[in-house]
Structure formats: C-alpha cells, structure tokens
Amino acid sequence: MILRAFLFACLAASPALARSVTDSAGRVVELPERIETVFAAGPPASVLVYVVAPETLTGWPRALRPEERDYIAEPYRDLPETGRLTGRGGEVNLERLLEIAPDLILDFGSVRDTYIDLADRVQAQTGIPYVLIDGRFENTPEALRLLGEVLGVPERGEMLARDAEATFARLDAILAEVPEAQRPRTYLARGPDGLETGMKGSINTEFIERAGGVNVADDGGRTRGLVQASPEQIIVADPEVVVTWDPQFYDRVWSDPVWRGVAAVRAGQVYLSPTAPFGWIDRPPSLNRMMGLRWMARLFYPER
C-alpha cells in the first residue's frame, strides 16, 4: 500500500510527457505534450499562429491599431502587446519572456544561422522550447503542416496546407500558358517616395513572381533584400505595373514628375494594396500574403 502511494506521488509530480519535433532549421526540439500558450517572436509568427490556433497566442508583437481591430475575431482583438524578439526593434528581454512563461516560442521567417543562434541561446537560457519555421512563400503548405503538428492540431494544419496548395496549383496552370516574355514587368514601391523596393527573390517581393509577374528590380541575384532605387533606375526599368501599400505614394504618383512618364502610371496600372489587418504584400511577410497572391494574380490576369 505504501509503495503504491509512493509511486502515485512520483507520477503526479513528474512533468507532462514530452515529444520532439524537428523544425525547419533541422533542430530537434523537445515539446510538452500539450501546448496552450505560444509567444510569437515577431509579426510573421503571430499571423501564422493566429490562423492555425489563435487561442494559444499570448499577445501581439505590436498591439492592433483601431483600423485593424474589426478584421480580427473578437476574442483576440485586445490581446496585450508583447514586443518582439526578432527583426527591427526586437526589444523583448529574457525577464519579460520568463514573466509571460509561454509553453513555446515560435519564429516564422528566415532560418539562417543568426536566427538559429538566437533560438538556441534563448532556449538554453529560459528553458522554453523555441521552434523555427521557414517563412519562404513556397514553403507555406509545409509551414502550416509543421505548426499544426507542433500545436497538436494536425487536421487544421492539413486543411490550410491543402488550400494553399490548391491556390498554387491553380496559378501554375495559368502560368503554364503564359510565356515569361508576356508576363507583366512589375515594381514594388515602398515608402512615401516609392523608391524603396525588394530585389527579385527577396521575402518582400517573392510573391510577385509567384503571382506571375516579373520583378524589374533584378541584378541577376547579386543583391537580396530591400534596396533604395534611384529615379533614373525607375525610368530605365519602366515597369508596366506598380504596386504599393503606401497611400502617400499612391496619391502623389500620378503627378510626380519622376513617375509621370513611367508606363504603369501612363496606363493607370498603379495599385494600392490593402494593409488591414495585415498587409497583403508584406508587413509582415506571413500567411496574409496568400490573400495578396490571389489579389495580384487577378490584377495580372483578369481574364483568367
């Protein structure tokens, strides 16, 4: 009887059964059997978690603005601002993380060495599992499946992954009939002057090619990420389509002498992308881009 009571006490005091998962960086991460709270390391991760299992979010890296709240399901509109671990303005310290005490830290985006080192360091110092998921647009279905597995909702992850695959397949069927020479030459205009853009292949513009456009910001792969273009480069590139999320740029582009002679402006092919609750182009580059993909493909190929 005493032995039985002793064994019962030991089992009751032991931690929940653990399981392991291999994340997108190839790291084997030990997870609790049940994950109830997730700290999103940055805005891309928060969107991904919100779509797959919103009830697990501990908060938004940046509190929702008034114009964004109506687009978010009511239970999650007033989640607290938690700050961010990664990207520009990463300000969360370990004390704040331990205070929130999530079951999991999740980052969605780059899985380069810098982010692997951060994940390993934070996990070692806090004891909180830290999972990295590859945020490349092409990886969207696998990202959804992986997060579904991690959060214990594989059916939800699989359903969303299949929807993304169906969208990609539909686009592939359209693009198979459109030679690259006939695809619209496109420029992403960021900022009030429109001169910041993303080079071909960057996480900020990869959806342009996926939607069937040709990014004119292309130096043959020598440069990646965001760059500053000159007015002369814009004139020489002469894009047929310009997309932007900046209303200041959109309002002024029609009369700006730098832009007035560009083919897209002359043809009225400048488009302002929605930004609430999340940007359809990037800001953040997360699952919200699936809406942007459908929107942009329709701009490029309305007859299809």
Side-chain angles (χ1 to χ4, degrees), residues 258-280:
V258 171
W259 291 90
R260 202 161 42 200
V262 171
V265 179
R266 296 198 312 271
Q269 299 288 304
V270 180
Y271 299 98
L272 179 63
S273 167
T275 57
F278 314 111
W280 285 13

Side-chain angles (χ1 to χ4, degrees), residues 114-138:
T114 301
Y115 296 93
I116 295 173
D117 291 344
L118 175 65
D120 288 343
R121 182 161 33 89
V122 170
Q123 183 172 292
Q125 292 173 336
T126 64
I128 302 170
Y130 195 135
V131 167
L132 295 169
I133 298 184
D134 186 350
R136 288 177 301 118
F137 200 32
E138 282 296 325

Side-chain angles (χ1 to χ4, degrees), residues 153-166:
V153 288
E155 298 86 0
R156 172 76 174 163
E158 181 63 27
M159 180 188 72
L160 292 166
R162 288 185 180 181
D163 183 73
E165 287 172 338

Side-chain angles (χ1 to χ4, degrees), residues 9-285:
C10 289
L11 287 171
S14 65
L17 293 174
R19 56 196 170 97
S20 63
V21 67
T22 301
D23 71 7
S24 298
R27 301 164 59 252
V28 177
V29 182
E30 295 296 323
L31 302 175
E33 189 62 32
R34 183 177 175 85
I35 293 176
E36 297 182 347
T37 54
V38 179
F39 180 93
S46 69
V47 176
L48 186 66
V49 176
Y50 173 69
V51 171
V52 175
E55 67 280 2
T56 65
L57 267 180
T58 58
W60 300 102
R62 173 187 60 74
L64 297 172
R65 298 188 175 103
E67 66 272 17
E68 299 166 342
R69 296 179 77 257
D70 285 347
Y71 294 93
I72 297 297
E74 190 170 357
Y76 314 110
R77 292 174 186 170
D78 297 314
L79 290 176
E81 181 170 314
T82 56
R84 55 190 296 170
L85 267 174
T86 58
R88 296 178 184 176
E91 73 281 349
V92 175
N93 56 38
L94 298 185
E95 289 76 14
R96 175 63 174 150
L97 268 178
L98 291 170
E99 178 185 323
I100 296 172
D103 295 327
L104 174 72
I105 301 169
L106 179 82
D107 197 15
F108 180 51
S110 173
V111 291
R112 297 196 309 267
D113 288 347
T114 301
Y115 296 93
I116 295 173
D117 291 344
L118 175 65
D120 288 343
R121 182 161 33 89
V122 170
Q123 183 172 292
Q125 292 173 336
T126 64
I128 302 170
Y130 195 135
V131 167
L132 295 169
I133 298 184
D134 186 350
R136 288 177 301 118
F137 200 32
E138 282 296 325
N139 193 59
T140 297
E142 290 312 308
L144 289 163
R145 288 190 174 98
L146 177 55
L147 185 59
E149 176 191 350
V150 167
L151 297 184
V153 288
E155 298 86 0
R156 172 76 174 163
E158 181 63 27
M159 180 188 72
L160 292 166
R162 288 185 180 181
D163 183 73
E165 287 172 338
T167 299
F168 287 162
R170 183 180 176 195
L171 263 175
D172 288 340
I174 291 171
L175 297 181
E177 301 175 358
V178 183
E180 186 160 350
Q182 296 177 19
R183 298 180 186 182
R185 301 177 64 258
T186 305
Y187 176 82
L188 171 63
R190 294 170 54 101
D193 62 3
L195 295 180
E196 183 181 67
T197 193
M199 298 298 291
K200 180 181 178 181
S202 77
I203 198 169
N204 306 91
T205 56
E206 58 184 339
F207 79 105
I208 289 177
E209 292 93 51
R210 197 64 187 85
V214 176
N215 187 358
V216 298
D218 180 9
D219 63 359
R222 293 190 299 276
T223 308
R224 288 291 180 94
L226 296 175
V227 296
Q228 199 71 21
S230 68
E232 292 76 19
Q233 288 173 317
I234 299 297
I235 292 168
V236 170
D238 200 27
E240 301 166 288
V241 176
V242 171
V243 291
T244 183
W245 43 253
D246 194 295
Q248 292 184 58
F249 170 75
Y250 183 77
D251 288 342
R252 64 183 285 189
V253 68
W254 311 104
S255 58
D256 189 317
V258 171
W259 291 90
R260 202 161 42 200
V262 171
V265 179
R266 296 198 312 271
Q269 299 288 304
V270 180
Y271 299 98
L272 179 63
S273 167
T275 57
F278 314 111
W280 285 13
I281 294 177
D282 56 5
R283 306 186 80 200

